[in-house]
Amino acid sequence: MTAASISASDLSWGPRHGPAILKGVSFDLAAGRTLGIVGANGAGKSTLLRLLYRFHRPHGGKVHIGGGDLWRMTPRAAARRVAAVLQEQPTDFALSVREIAELGRVPHRRGLSGSGTREAEIVEAALHRLDLAGLAERRFGTLSGGEKQRVMVARALVQEPQVLILDEPTNHLDIRHQLEVLEMLRGLDVTIVTSLHDLNLAFDLCDEVMVLSRGQMIAHGTPDAALDPATVAHAFAVTARRERLEPSGRTRFTYSLTASDRTY
Ligand SMILES: Nc1ncnc2c1ncn2[C@@H]1O[C@H](COP(=O)(O)OP(=O)(O)OP(=O)(O)O)[C@@H](O)[C@H]1O
């Protein structure tokens, strides 16, 4: 895998005949960096991600991956560059874990050529990395939510993308697998854009954070700058507190409803 830069300029999108859901979002992310997208429910996080993995064509603005316009590439070329791990999981319940992971090779195959030794090695390595070797022959439909999530990350790795788009990648994962998956992702030579609900994770994991509110970017920068308590309070309509824990030196957020929000 070789990371590629992402450049998004003035992106907007909305449903046909509906109001704009995403308005004027721009950012430049250098190759190999991790950008976290945070914001309240409905803020537009998944919508922004959909524009980055070529699901929605922007109504305004452009996305460039490694300098190339995402919508001027063929779908196959785009799929060789960008992989996505989504909240919605596939319904190929009858396929085995290995077969789902192998689907990640499709953009790399020419014609009807099957899988060679190298292809098989890539799949095995990804299954191993995600702690799935023992489940390789299991039917996808029989897995737990967290096991399914790990299969989807494995399939994305098998795709050997330059850019990895993740929509809430830690959903369903227990704390050990959260740490393992996040540490593994950080070690990849890939550029990552991920939505996250957990601000503590965003602070620890990301090189940069973007805060969305009602479809607009209200902050973007280092986690320290973007996640300042006033911005968090505004974006999530809560009282936010940010503390530095000793002796670890890690930053932790805690939240409460503002007094006027209480209904009791
Ligand atoms: N295709 C669509 N048609 C109509 N409305 C849509 C469409 N896609 C998204 N929306 C609306 O746009 C808003 C933003 O949705 P989006 O899924 O991007 O939010 P989000 O920040 O990812 O939220 P969550 O944290 O709940 O996952 C929501 O109000 C959603 O209902």
Side-chain angles (χ1 to χ4, degrees):
M1 279 182 250
T2 324
S5 62
I6 308 176
S7 172
S9 57
D10 208 15
L11 290 180
S12 64
W13 185 85
R16 197 183 291 233
H17 310 304
I21 285 173
L22 202 74
K23 296 161 235 164
V25 172
S26 301
F27 67 91
D28 287 308
L29 188 64
R33 308 258 301 168
T34 296
L35 170 66
I37 313 288
V38 305
N41 289 144
K45 302 178 294 295
S46 299
T47 303
L48 172 58
L49 298 182
R50 288 182 188 125
L51 297 174
L52 303 180
Y53 62 82
R54 212 177 187 274
F55 182 80
H56 288 325
R57 185 191 279 270
H59 289 181
K62 292 235 179 311
V63 178
H64 285 87
I65 306 286
D69 186 330
L70 187 61
W71 283 94
R72 285 179 170 260
M73 298 172 195
T74 62
R76 179 179 282 261
R80 282 197 294 263
R81 289 181 172 229
V82 183
V85 177
L86 308 177
Q87 291 192 42
E88 312 87 60
Q89 290 175 341
T91 48
D92 314 306
F93 295 124
L95 294 185
S96 71
V97 166
R98 179 179 283 108
E99 285 167 332
I100 296 257
E102 282 170 353
L103 293 175
R105 295 310 297 162
V106 171
H108 295 276
R109 290 205 183 122
R110 283 159 195 256
L112 294 173
S113 68
S115 45
T117 315
R118 182 173 174 274
E119 304 275 297
E121 280 171 7
I122 292 168
V123 172
E124 292 317 310
L127 292 178
H128 189 75
R129 254 179 142 159
L130 271 301
D131 197 16
L132 291 166
L135 295 175
E137 307 312 326
R138 276 275 293 279
R139 283 196 306 138
F140 185 70
T142 68
L143 300 181
S144 74
E147 290 163 348
K148 283 183 183 150
Q149 184 75 353
R150 273 153 47 215
V151 175
M152 301 327 295
V153 176
R155 186 179 77 172
L157 296 192
V158 164
Q159 211 171 318
E160 294 193 309
Q162 299 174 325
V163 167
L164 196 48
I165 307 293
L166 303 157
D167 201 354
E168 280 296 323
T170 53
N171 248 358
H172 301 296
L173 297 187
D174 65 42
I175 46 178
R176 183 180 172 92
H177 284 111
Q178 280 189 22
L179 294 174
E180 281 182 357
V181 167
L182 294 177
E183 195 165 305
M184 186 271 300
L185 291 172
R186 280 188 71 85
L188 298 174
D189 181 17
V190 66
T191 312
I192 296 177
V193 182
T194 178
S195 65
L196 288 167
H197 274 301
D198 184 335
L199 302 189
N200 292 316
L201 268 185
F203 202 97
D204 291 344
L205 173 74
C206 301
D207 301 308
E208 301 173 24
V209 172
M210 177 188 299
V211 184
L212 286 179
S213 176
R214 297 167 194 262
Q216 290 182 301
M217 185 174 88
I218 60 166
H220 175 208
T222 61
D224 193 47
L227 292 175
D228 97 288
T231 306
V232 172
H234 173 68
F236 294 91
V238 292
T239 299
R241 213 177 132 95
R242 195 167 104 177
E243 290 165 291
R244 202 175 150 83
L245 301 184
E246 296 300 343
S248 66
R250 295 172 84 170
T251 298
R252 281 295 167 265
F253 290 90
T254 49
Y255 324 96
S256 56
L257 290 175
T258 45
S260 60
D261 290 331
R262 292 219 167 89
T263 52
Y264 52 90

